[in-house]
Amino acid sequence: MSDILFRARELESYGIAIRRQIHKNPELGFELPKTIELVEKELVSLGYEPVRCGKAGITAAAGKPGRTFLLRADMDALPMKEETGLEFASENDCMHACGHDIHTSALLVAARILKEREEELQGTVKLMFQPCEEGVAGALDMVRAGVLGNPNADAAMALHVVHEKAGTVGYSWTTACASSDVFAITVKGKGGHGAAPHNCVDPINTAVHIHMALQAVNSREVHPDEMLVLSICEIHGGTASNIFPETVVMKGTIRTMNPEVRSFAKDRLVQIAKQTAAAFRAEAAVEFLHEGIPPMRNDTILLQETTGYINRILGEDTCYELPRMTGSEDFSVVSQLVPSVLYWVGTGSEEEGYPYGVHDPRVTFNEESLHKMAAIYAGTAMEWLREHS
Ligand SMILES: [Zn+2]
Ligand SMILES: [Zn+2]
């Protein structure tokens, strides 16, 4: 067993206690007062000087001037009622169903190890505790607030739990997961009596044609090798069976692995919606509901290096290749600016007695993975700095 893993194992109950405290008090988006207080207090007690960054982020650093390796953990929960029945279950209507409580506590355990071994660090390790990953806005907010500067991050790594065998570490080459954009199309027609369509402009008929026309973007306009998802998941319009509504609203999401395909699909969405609406004498307005995030880009060299470190820290063949995911992770914003890697750490498979995946109100996690995540965080940063000093 590597010395880092041995120390992380010794700190297991410390990490689990923090994790359960965060788990009991889940908070959402940028509104994380209790979580931030806990993280800051813990960092101060470990000898750090934490700094607020952006709306609700925290950074802290250990080591000495030199190259800088950034470690990211997210802190926000989901707006869903927990149904696990665990003794440390959520005490409010939100839930850490995506495992961010584990990420945050694992990074705190890593922070403790890094502080204990600060003399050995051949550069700086910067810790990034971010809010609002689920709202895909927290990483961008911290980047705009300067998290990647002073000192400049030279490489970055994030870990995320995954519904796989506990303690395994998955990765994907090049793109780990997709971009994400969310849109609303408002189709405006002319309402009126259902028995007199000739006096109206039917926004429902128009919306249906827009929906059908949009299917051509992925099936006919993008190279078959490219992954593109364009899904409409909401359609709202009408109040009665004999009244044409004035408007219909459709909402959906675009996911791709390629920034060029992403901007092409967004442009075509707007063109097809507007021109199809015009063909039916209606109007369409397209709104993108947030800035969206790019695909997560794993740096090939950093991935080769860090899989080597992780296999040394946790044992040969810990790392394995996973198919890329059509879900998204807003650490992708960092990955477009600094060489980065994202790893998926298994926290229990169905065969091991963990039948539910993340975002399920019944999901539970094998807490044995927590100290392994801490060892990966601390050990990878130390190894990378050693090799690049
Ligand atoms: Zn999530
Ligand atoms: Zn998550």
Side-chain angles (χ1 to χ4, degrees), residues 49-367:
E49 292 172 16
V51 178
R52 292 280 176 102
C53 178
K55 289 183 202 162
I58 302 168
T59 64
K64 52 174 165 292
R67 310 296 297 277
T68 297
F69 196 90
L70 180 141
L71 299 171
R72 198 264 351 221
D74 40 11
M75 305 185 285
D76 57 319
L78 288 157
M80 60 199 292
K81 186 111 184 105
E82 179 160 352
E83 296 173 17
T84 61
L86 291 169
E87 73 192 59
F88 55 93
S90 166
E91 292 176 349
N92 60 36
D93 287 339
C94 304
M95 179 183 179
H96 269 292
C98 203
H100 299 184
D101 52 339
I102 298 175
H103 310 161
T104 298
S105 45
L107 189 54
L108 284 171
V109 175
R112 185 161 164 180
I113 297 170
L114 290 164
K115 203 66 187 172
E116 289 171 354
R117 303 180 66 157
E118 194 164 24
E119 288 299 306
E120 290 171 52
L121 297 179
Q122 311 270 309
T124 302
V125 182
K126 194 188 269 195
L127 311 174
M128 172 183 178
F129 291 91
Q130 82 154 77
C132 201
E133 195 289 318
E134 296 293 348
V136 297
L140 184 61
D141 182 66
M142 287 188 78
V143 165
R144 286 191 175 143
V147 70
L148 300 180
N150 191 30
N152 288 338
D154 296 299
M157 181 179 78
L159 304 179
H160 200 294
V161 302
V162 70
H163 189 204
E164 296 284 351
K165 190 163 178 269
T168 56
V169 180
Y171 63 86
S172 309
W173 293 107
T174 63
T175 40
C177 41
S179 64
S180 173
D181 292 281
V182 178
F183 60 84
I185 304 171
T186 303
V187 181
K188 189 170 184 314
K190 180 167 173 271
H193 201 294
H198 56 291
N199 291 331
C200 305
V201 174
D202 178 1
I204 294 177
N205 181 46
T206 308
V208 167
H209 279 86
I210 292 172
H211 184 275
M212 289 197 295
L214 287 174
Q215 305 310 309
V217 180
N218 35 3
S219 69
R220 287 294 171 270
E221 299 187 358
V222 170
H223 192 286
D225 261 358
E226 293 286 351
M227 170 261 169
L228 170 63
V229 172
L230 198 168
S231 300
I232 295 210
C233 302
E234 287 183 52
I235 300 188
H236 301 283
T239 54
S241 58
N242 59 354
I243 305 170
F244 285 112
E246 199 69 19
T247 58
V248 167
V249 177
M250 299 193 282
K251 290 185 182 173
T253 183
I254 295 174
R255 309 292 175 107
T256 82
M257 299 292 177
N258 178 338
E260 283 165 30
V261 173
R262 179 186 176 204
S263 76
F264 173 79
K266 288 172 76 174
D267 288 348
R268 289 295 289 143
L269 174 80
V270 174
Q271 287 163 359
I272 289 172
K274 285 183 181 294
Q275 289 171 10
T276 307
F280 290 89
R281 302 180 297 163
E283 287 171 18
V286 180
E287 191 191 349
F288 289 94
L289 299 181
H290 53 64
E291 285 180 63
I293 52 166
M296 171 68 215
R297 188 163 63 198
N298 273 340
D299 183 83
T300 303
I301 293 170
L302 187 62
L303 193 67
Q304 281 166 340
E305 291 171 338
T306 51
T307 49
Y309 308 156
I310 294 168
N311 283 335
R312 284 210 289 276
I313 297 162
L314 293 192
E316 276 317 308
D317 300 326
T318 297
C319 294
Y320 68 102
E321 192 179 347
L322 262 180
R324 58 192 190 171
M325 300 197 184
T326 57
S328 59
E329 225 302 342
D330 85 343
F331 183 61
S332 64
V333 172
V334 173
S335 80
Q336 298 290 328
L337 300 168
V338 171
S340 299
V341 281
L342 169 68
Y343 285 103
W344 304 99
V345 181
T347 41
S349 62
E350 198 157 351
E351 299 74 45
E352 293 175 307
Y354 296 87
Y356 308 109
V358 295
H359 289 221
D360 187 301
R362 298 161 296 179
V363 66
T364 54
F365 304 93
N366 186 335
E367 289 176 318

